[in-house]
Amino acid sequence: MLFPDARGRRLRANPNFRRMVRETKLSRDDLILPLFAIEGKSVKKPIDSMPGHFQMSCDHIVETAKKAKEAGLPAIILFGIPDKKDGLATRAYASDSIVQKAIQEVKEKVPDITVITDVCLCGYMDHGHCGVVDKGIIDNDASLDLLARTALSHVKAGADMVAPSDMMDGRVGEIRQTLDEENFSHIPIMSYAVKYSSAFYGPFRQAAESAPQFGDRKTYQMDPANGLEAIREATMDIEEGADIIMVKPALSYLDIIYRLKQEIDLPIAAYNVSGEYSIMKAGEMMGWVDAKELIMETLISIKRAGADLILTYSAIDVARELNS
Ligand code: PBG
């Protein structure tokens, strides 16, 4: 049918029509809130590059987890800023370290929010890389044991799910095997399987104090020019035991989310990363854009591309806007 018989505007004419034929819906169920935990008491230090976000001591993490729960969110993901960094990321897997304490406190005080943890070494290494460094090279295989120990320590502290973000080859299999051996076969792994080497992580590295002290992450994170490689990475992680596959960042990679949705049958998560958030907030501060509208539009686009879950710094604000 063609114009004038067909008229696309008929079903756009009022809010109820639009509501009835809307193809994609964003729900609170889809959103995961990232939080940054730091040692101390009553600490709530603003992250300059991420307005509305803070490095928080455990008491404030618990308060924010409560707010997230009240806003209807199912889950948070925790990142830690440790008291000390070294060449073996010792504080990543110490039972008394920051993320382990934050997990325990949240699980004790807000038991029904799901606690996911980011499993990586970069924030805990003095050189800021995601694995062990040997003569200036990031040693893949030497990093696996430390990553598995980190995941295990999070789960022992009470984490409901672990999310390895380091991009070492084989780490999902290593973590799965370690968790299974320690009677945690029921704990799911959300793999940052398709993680690109991206300038959109800039503000996060300030937030987590995890910028590499030499070189860059291009020898382990993916080249933004590659799409087929995303399928290979996802397929390998699925074979190693991943339960959820993540694409990161989200907005410049909507085609990758779409492709993976056609190719794989696991839930797909997308990380609406720090730079994507900060750019919108900066635009708002300049008075040039309406960040609230932009955030809703971008989250819907990420869902429309095929993401089942979205990690976003806007999760609480958006959950409050949504009515289900
Ligand atoms: C740790 C990690 C990073 C992010 C999540 N986990 C940073 C990086 O790889 O440099 C980025 C999150 C964001 O930008 O919001 N490896």
Side-chain angles (χ1 to χ4, degrees):
M1 221 177 10
L2 289 175
F3 177 82
D5 300 318
R7 288 180 181 270
R9 291 185 54 189
R10 282 187 199 121
L11 290 177
R12 289 177 214 136
N14 65 56
N16 277 344
F17 281 170
R18 293 196 293 274
R19 197 174 135 203
M20 289 158 73
V21 300
R22 189 160 293 141
E23 295 172 40
T24 311
K25 291 202 171 116
L26 193 61
S27 153
R28 296 164 177 164
D29 301 345
D30 312 327
L31 306 177
I32 300 170
L33 174 71
L35 295 175
F36 300 97
I38 193 164
E39 297 284 354
K41 268 208 160 44
S42 311
V43 182
K44 192 174 174 191
K45 194 171 156 215
I47 299 162
D48 293 343
S49 56
M50 299 174 68
H53 277 269
F54 306 86
Q55 294 180 334
M56 289 182 284
S57 49
C58 290
D59 43 349
H60 282 291
I61 292 278
V62 167
E63 285 315 302
T64 312
K66 272 188 199 148
K67 277 188 206 151
K69 170 87 191 87
E70 281 157 18
L73 295 176
I76 58 172
I77 180 165
L78 291 176
F79 296 88
I81 300 116
D83 45 5
K84 147 175 133 22
K85 300 176 193 260
D86 58 35
L88 284 172
T90 319
R91 301 304 287 165
Y93 40 86
S95 60
D96 63 347
S97 194
I98 180 62
V99 167
Q100 290 78 358
K101 284 191 288 199
I103 299 165
Q104 278 161 11
E105 292 222 17
V106 173
K107 289 297 350 173
E108 193 182 308
K109 296 182 179 134
V110 202
D112 43 3
I113 198 146
T114 288
V115 175
I116 308 171
T117 58
D118 183 86
V119 174
C120 198
L121 306 177
C122 56
Y124 303 84
M125 289 288 200
D126 46 18
H127 48 64
H129 277 288
C130 303
V132 174
V133 171
D134 185 21
K135 299 185 194 73
I137 306 278
I138 291 79
D139 185 338
N140 190 87
D141 298 12
S143 308
L144 299 181
D145 176 51
L146 302 189
L147 290 161
R149 279 158 73 173
T150 303
L152 179 62
S153 77
H154 291 172
V155 172
K156 281 188 172 163
D160 300 295
M161 188 188 296
V162 290
S165 69
D166 52 284
M167 287 301 277
M168 295 301 123
D169 291 320
R171 90 282 203 205
V172 172
E174 186 88 8
I175 291 171
R176 184 70 277 157
Q177 191 187 334
T178 302
L179 295 184
D180 290 357
E181 282 166 8
E182 300 279 338
N183 292 324
F184 292 114
S185 60
H186 56 289
I187 298 289
I189 300 176
M190 172 163 70
S191 174
Y192 288 70
V194 181
K195 180 172 176 182
Y196 287 93
S197 175
S198 171
F200 284 103
Y201 307 151
F204 172 95
R205 290 180 189 165
Q206 186 189 338
E209 300 177 11
S210 65
Q213 300 303 304
F214 69 89
D216 53 39
R217 302 209 202 290
K218 289 189 168 63
T219 67
Y220 41 105
Q221 298 181 348
M222 288 171 58
D223 183 338
N226 294 354
L228 280 173
E229 190 186 358
I231 297 167
R232 283 203 297 280
E233 283 287 352
T235 308
M236 282 200 283
D237 283 9
I238 293 169
E239 286 184 10
E240 288 177 32
D243 300 279
I244 299 174
I245 292 296
M246 194 200 297
V247 176
K248 176 180 173 207
L251 288 182
S252 287
Y253 302 89
L254 294 178
D255 59 322
I256 305 296
I257 297 172
Y258 183 81
R259 273 163 90 160
L260 284 177
K261 190 67 183 173
Q262 317 304 308
E263 298 273 343
I264 68 171
D265 56 6
L266 288 188
I268 294 179
Y271 202 140
N272 178 215
V273 299
S274 56
E276 297 169 2
Y277 174 82
S278 302
I279 286 170
M280 288 178 196
K281 289 289 181 183
E284 181 180 50
M285 285 160 80
M286 295 297 287
W288 291 343
V289 294
D290 180 334
K292 207 162 125 185
E293 297 268 324
L294 266 188
I295 288 165
M296 281 295 182
E297 184 177 335
T298 51
L299 293 181
I300 270 289
S301 74
I302 296 168
K303 253 216 109 178
R304 193 192 61 237
D308 302 288
L309 295 166
I310 306 173
L311 294 85
T312 175
Y313 298 97
S314 310
I316 290 187
D317 295 342
V318 172
R320 286 179 180 154
E321 284 293 308
L322 298 169
N323 48 19
S324 65

